[in-house]
Amino acid sequence: CRCCAESRRHGSILYNILRSEERAASPAGQGPRRGQASRGCPCGSRRRVALRSPQVACKAASAVLVKTLRFVQNVPCFQELPLDEQLLLVRSCWAPLLVLGLAQDRVHFETVESAEPSMLQRILTTRQQGEQPPPRGPMPGRPHHGPGGGGGPHLPSAGEIQAIKGFLAKCWSLDISTKEYAYLKGTVLFNPDLPGLQCTQYIEGLQREAQQALNEHVRLIHRGDEARFAKLNVVLSLLRSINANVIAELFFRPIIGAVNMDDMLLEMLCAKL
């Protein structure tokens, strides 16, 4: 986060060791000057968190995922696409669709700070055991496949959870209707910009139809609110910040463990929900 950028150098292990030696060598009673003391992140956005009631929250999220895929399967235009195109679309948008479903069903969840070991603790522990130190989260340029993707658990940060909760609060403040949610989901589902799609023009037309239907609905129902369509488009823009790995780790790793999320989506997509 922004507040940690300035204090990162002052919070390093080496810096604290040097500062402790410096304080020990300084005259008695002469502590560090104001502003020199190492402090933690004021906002705490980097803290790792977990669900307070995972049984309740994971069950609710699983139910929303089933409803979401059922909605997708019931879209006639989606069923006309080849199966590999369907799977490509669902893999790319299941997390934003799920968060929209959480907002629609008004699912609330609380998190608690996790006692996840620090990087130094992991390095020291693995060296004592003669193992290679595990990476902390996905490395830049290296794909992270979520549960079952080959990496260990990567608990989401407080900042990532706050982004999800902020999105939910935004949706609830707009009091989005069932039809508006359906048109928003259609816009998210039919994303023509995905690499590997073959029916790009057809999918682009479906996304345009969903946007037009949303606009016409807003004009009909909310005639006095000329800015509502723009506000709903802001909701769509906020969805781009939703990280699928965060959603998977938060709501599904506690119940499916090492099962790969892509495999589960494929199984659910081919099943009659």
Side-chain angles (χ1 to χ4, degrees):
C1 61
R2 185 176 300 175
C3 65
C4 288
E6 180 66 22
S7 61
R8 187 177 294 121
R9 179 177 63 87
H10 300 290
S12 66
I13 298 173
L14 178 60
Y15 178 84
N16 287 327
I17 292 175
L18 294 175
R19 289 301 297 160
S20 62
E21 293 179 354
E22 207 174 283
R23 285 192 296 268
S26 63
Q30 184 179 347
R33 292 190 299 271
R34 185 178 180 181
Q36 289 183 335
S38 175
R39 297 180 181 178
C41 174
C43 68
S45 63
R46 291 180 177 271
R47 294 195 316 267
R48 297 295 162 180
V49 296
L51 291 169
R52 182 184 296 274
S53 303
Q55 297 85 356
V56 176
C58 292
K59 182 178 179 181
S62 299
V64 171
L65 181 61
V66 171
K67 291 172 63 176
T68 299
L69 293 181
R70 186 182 295 133
F71 166 84
V72 170
Q73 289 177 329
N74 290 333
V75 176
C77 299
F78 180 80
Q79 291 296 326
E80 295 176 3
L81 291 168
L83 181 59
D84 56 343
E85 302 271 288
Q86 295 181 23
L87 183 58
L88 185 58
L89 290 174
V90 170
R91 278 176 172 171
S92 68
C93 71
W94 72 267
L97 289 180
L98 175 68
V99 177
L100 276 173
L102 295 176
Q104 184 175 3
D105 289 359
R106 291 189 172 270
V107 175
H108 295 265
F109 64 92
E110 298 296 332
T111 57
V112 293
E113 186 173 353
S114 173
E116 186 184 19
S118 65
M119 175 59 72
L120 178 61
Q121 291 174 316
R122 292 185 179 194
I123 293 175
L124 294 177
T125 303
T126 52
R127 282 182 177 177
Q128 288 175 357
Q129 296 174 353
E131 304 172 359
Q132 292 294 326
R136 184 182 180 90
M139 297 295 291
R142 183 180 302 172
H144 178 62
H145 302 286
H154 177 66
L155 293 175
S157 67
E160 291 168 332
I161 299 304
Q162 190 57 43
I164 298 173
K165 289 191 173 185
F167 174 83
L168 297 178
K170 178 67 175 178
C171 292
W172 296 334
S173 68
L174 292 174
D175 196 19
I176 301 175
S177 67
T178 302
K179 282 191 175 182
E180 288 172 333
Y181 272 118
Y183 297 140
L184 289 173
K185 291 175 183 178
T187 303
V188 173
L189 174 62
F190 297 113
N191 181 8
D193 298 326
L194 293 177
L197 289 176
Q198 302 298 322
C199 308
T200 306
Q201 293 184 349
Y202 179 65
I203 294 173
E204 185 177 5
L206 294 175
Q207 186 185 66
R208 187 164 51 247
E209 288 181 14
Q211 278 279 281
Q212 291 174 352
L214 177 62
N215 193 10
E216 292 173 1
H217 175 78
V218 169
R219 288 184 176 181
L220 179 64
I221 304 300
H222 302 274
R223 296 180 181 178
D225 190 355
E226 297 181 356
R228 183 168 182 83
F229 182 69
K231 294 176 182 177
L232 293 175
N233 277 314
V234 170
V235 169
L236 290 174
S237 66
L238 292 175
L239 279 173
R240 298 190 185 99
S241 64
I242 300 299
N243 189 315
N245 292 329
V246 173
I247 301 297
E249 295 291 345
L250 183 66
F251 291 113
F252 297 105
R253 179 177 284 277
I255 54 177
I256 69 175
V259 176
N260 188 286
M261 199 70 191
D262 285 347
D263 294 340
M264 189 181 76
L265 289 172
L266 176 61
E267 183 178 349
M268 295 177 70
L269 187 64
C270 296
K272 294 183 179 180
L273 299 175

